Amino acid sequence: LNAVVNAFHYRMTDFIQAELAPDERVQYRNSGQIRLTGIETEVSGSPLPWLDAAFSAVFQKSDDLAKASRLVNSPSVLGKARVGIPVFRRRGTIGFALRGWNSRLTGSGARLGTVALLDSSISTAKIRSGFQLAAGVRNLMGRNYEDPVDLTLDRIRANGRTWYVRLSWQSKE
């Protein structure tokens, strides 16, 4: 069993931020002021010989100091739970992950709802010459949701179900 806890506090000023000019054009200026404070936790391990599991969560407070409001697209709670089951004599792993976050604000101040997504994957252990193969599906249930944008658009539709295949290689060191 492994457990990690991190606390953080950031204060940033004069970072580049999009603003509307008087003529309605978007202009970028060094004017932002934000503060983020929070705690991040993770617990992982193998509760059973055939099961790897992990749970992580972030609890944060993010403020846009210039606007005296919560920071756009910044949930106060994010979480992820995943399980992995070894298959093919431990030469591969089938995994499932549930990830989610609570409400977020758009640039106009509208509140977008909580999102929970299920992902699935299958991956190999290292195969010949340091290669590893993985494939999976993000947003397995095809959930429709929107992401905040703080420009001329207030929100955009997020990707639905997404399939991926990844071949990676690591040299011997």
Side-chain angles (χ1 to χ4, degrees), residues 93-104:
T93 302
I94 293 177
F96 293 94
L98 179 62
R99 58 190 167 99
W101 49 91
N102 70 340
S103 67
R104 299 165 292 159

Side-chain angles (χ1 to χ4, degrees), residues 75-160:
S76 58
V77 179
L78 298 96
K80 185 173 186 177
R82 71 163 180 81
V83 294
I85 302 167
V87 292
F88 310 121
R89 296 186 188 139
R90 295 200 168 271
R91 292 185 183 148
T93 302
I94 293 177
F96 293 94
L98 179 62
R99 58 190 167 99
W101 49 91
N102 70 340
S103 67
R104 299 165 292 159
L105 295 178
T106 66
S108 70
R111 184 177 302 274
L112 299 181
T114 297
V115 175
L117 303 173
L118 180 63
D119 301 333
S120 176
S121 65
I122 185 165
S123 61
T124 65
K126 293 260 189 314
I127 52 179
R128 178 170 286 162
S129 302
F131 284 96
Q132 186 174 11
L133 182 63
V137 182
R138 291 186 184 95
N139 191 3
L140 185 64
M141 308 309 284
R143 169 123 194 255
N144 292 321
Y145 66 99
E146 295 175 314
D147 283 324
V149 180
D150 193 15
L151 295 172
T152 54
L153 292 173
D154 194 44
R155 62 187 85 179
I156 58 172
R157 186 181 198 133
N159 291 332

Side-chain angles (χ1 to χ4, degrees), residues 11 36 86 131:
R11 188 177 182 109
L36 288 93
F131 284 96

